[in-house]
């Protein structure tokens, strides 16, 4: 899948959870969504993108959620 499309989708998920008052809960829920609804290949692709591109295009909340909770 096109990485820019994955970045856009991940940021849209982040937009939804950004309104949560608890940032840690928001990060966990973003990660949970990605784990439950994204295929393993999609998760692997976004993780690889983050590792290879420090300026990944991801919102900070989404970037931290993936780094901390998605494996």
């Amino acid at each position: 899948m096109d990485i820019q499309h994955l970045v856009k989708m991940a940021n849209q998920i982040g937009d939804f959870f950004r309104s949560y008052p608890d940032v840690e809960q928001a990060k966990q829920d973003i990660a949970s969504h990605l784990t439950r609804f994204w295929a393993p290949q999609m998760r692997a692709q976004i993780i690889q993108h983050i590792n290879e591109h420090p300026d990944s295009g991801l919102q900070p909340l989404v970037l931290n959620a993936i780094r901390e909770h998605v494996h």
Side-chain angles (χ1 to χ4, degrees):
M1 179 171 273
D2 176 59
I3 191 61
Q4 292 309 315
H5 185 65
L6 290 179
V7 167
K8 180 180 177 182
M9 288 177 14
N11 282 335
Q12 288 173 332
I13 294 164
D15 288 342
F16 177 82
F17 290 107
R18 185 176 38 227
S19 65
Y20 279 29
D22 183 341
V23 172
E24 290 305 315
Q25 186 64 53
K27 290 189 293 187
Q28 290 175 6
D29 288 349
I30 290 167
S32 176
H33 183 92
L34 295 177
T35 301
R36 291 174 59 206
F37 298 108
W38 282 29
Q41 298 86 351
M42 294 166 68
R43 293 192 308 270
Q45 191 175 356
I46 199 93
I47 290 168
Q48 179 181 357
H49 177 68
I50 290 169
N51 291 334
E52 293 176 358
H53 303 281
D55 181 22
S56 63
L58 291 166
Q59 300 168 3
L61 179 65
V62 176
L63 180 62
N64 290 327
I66 294 170
R67 283 183 173 157
E68 295 172 20
H69 301 289
V70 178
H71 307 283

